[in-house]
Amino acid sequence: RERNWTRADFFFIPMYLTCWELKKTGGLSSERKLEEAERLTRRVEGLRYWGRRGGFDHVFLFGASSWVLPRWREVLGSSVTLAVETQPIESDGDLHWHCQDCFQPWKDIVIPPVTPLAMTRTLLAMSQPVKNRTIVMSWHGQHANSTNAAVQRAYRVTNETVRLALLELAKLPNVSIGGPVPHYAFVMGSSHFCLCPKGASSYTSRVFEALLAGCVPVILSDELRLPFDSIVDWSRFSIRWPMARATEELYDYLVDLLERRP
């Protein structure tokens, strides 16, 4: 950290755009949201050292599945982005799609999503020794067949299907799969493998919750780019599995691993 700006290589701007969207513009009309967005944009462009390199040495954070600041391409296009999602959801109101060129790997950086401190402590506390784990694989979460209409729509507009495929495996022996449960941390801490399917977008916080719970993350998100993959060999402690093969083949593979490598 450098307090003398003349010696600083980069400037991190503690502007959490997801919080801005939820806290500042939540409940506002579309017109008022645009007004607030323009006000925020002017503040960015007015940053004290912005003009030094046209924002090239400024670092911003997008901590959710959509990059919510209108005109971000124009304003932040040359800045460094810290993002949990490399293919954020874009929308014109009716159509939704995953952006293919938002994240630029030559300058942008993938970071882990936040795991709240209370959840972190609970997951660590519930992590069982391998010999005491009784569940082969587990996953609990929201999905496109939720009884909550808003949740259902959020998953269906992005054509999320892998979670529905996992629900078909719920009756297999020694698995725990389904919707949200209150003892979620205990289930993960009792599992050998924790399934980490994509949500509405490609990133999933389940990967990092699985590591805290001590189970092997099984990543079911074909387009997911993992944090720090240029220096971290994720294959040493996780499994990537094609979404199209989220069938009993996956279960058989994991059971076979346990039998061959207990």
Side-chain angles (χ1 to χ4, degrees):
R1 182 174 181 178
E2 177 56 65
R3 295 186 180 276
N4 184 336
W5 75 269
T6 62
R7 295 199 294 263
D9 294 312
F10 293 94
F11 298 92
F12 176 69
I13 311 302
M15 181 174 70
Y16 301 103
L17 294 168
T18 302
C19 294
W20 169 81
E21 179 192 29
L22 296 174
K23 301 294 185 180
K24 184 69 173 178
T25 68
L28 297 181
S29 66
S30 299
E31 292 77 12
R32 288 284 292 118
K33 284 184 178 181
L34 285 175
E35 290 175 9
E36 290 296 332
E38 283 301 317
R39 185 176 291 111
L40 182 60
T41 298
R42 289 194 295 272
R43 291 186 65 185
V44 169
E45 294 173 325
L47 288 169
R48 185 173 182 181
Y49 307 117
W50 184 262
R52 187 175 77 160
R53 295 178 183 169
F56 186 81
D57 52 3
H58 283 55
V59 181
F60 294 86
L61 172 67
F62 285 107
S65 57
S66 60
W67 297 7
V68 296
L69 182 64
R71 292 210 300 127
W72 74 263
R73 291 175 184 269
E74 175 188 341
V75 180
L76 308 182
S78 61
S79 301
V80 177
T81 297
L82 306 180
V84 300
E85 174 58 69
T86 62
Q87 295 186 357
I89 300 170
E90 295 192 305
S91 171
D92 66 359
D94 296 319
L95 294 177
H96 300 74
W97 62 91
H98 294 288
C99 178
Q100 300 299 310
D101 64 348
C102 291
F103 184 88
Q104 298 295 321
W106 67 272
K107 67 177 181 67
D108 299 331
I109 301 171
V110 185
I111 60 171
V114 65
T115 301
L117 181 59
M119 174 58 79
T120 296
R121 289 173 171 166
T122 301
L123 289 165
L124 290 170
M126 292 295 174
S127 179
Q128 300 295 312
V130 172
K131 65 180 181 180
N132 293 344
R133 294 178 182 245
T134 58
I135 300 172
V136 173
M137 64 182 194
S138 66
W139 169 76
H140 287 273
Q142 299 287 5
H143 51 80
N145 284 348
S146 170
T147 55
N148 183 308
V151 171
Q152 184 183 106
R153 181 178 184 279
Y155 285 95
R156 291 189 175 183
V157 295
T158 53
N159 195 31
E160 195 292 305
T161 58
V162 68
R163 295 184 174 211
L164 297 181
L166 292 182
L167 294 177
E168 298 297 318
L169 308 180
K171 295 182 180 180
L172 293 172
N174 301 318
V175 306
S176 183
I177 291 176
V181 291
H183 55 291
Y184 163 62
F186 175 78
V187 171
M188 295 187 76
S190 301
S191 302
H192 290 283
F193 300 97
C194 290
L195 307 180
C196 307
K198 71 178 291 294
S201 63
S202 63
Y203 95 94
T204 167
S205 59
R206 294 287 196 278
V207 174
F208 306 95
E209 293 168 348
L211 295 175
L212 291 168
C215 53
V216 178
V218 179
I219 301 166
L220 293 150
S221 182
D222 296 345
E223 304 298 326
L224 175 65
R225 183 164 187 158
L226 291 161
F228 317 122
D229 57 357
S230 62
I231 57 175
V232 175
D233 184 358
W234 285 86
S235 66
R236 293 176 63 88
F237 51 89
S238 65
I239 297 170
R240 294 199 75 141
W241 190 265
M243 292 164 49
R245 290 163 55 196
T247 62
E248 287 194 36
E249 179 188 1
L250 170 59
Y251 174 77
D252 293 340
Y253 175 79
L254 298 179
V255 169
D256 183 62
L257 277 183
L258 290 176
E259 292 175 348
R260 290 190 292 112
R261 301 168 63 180

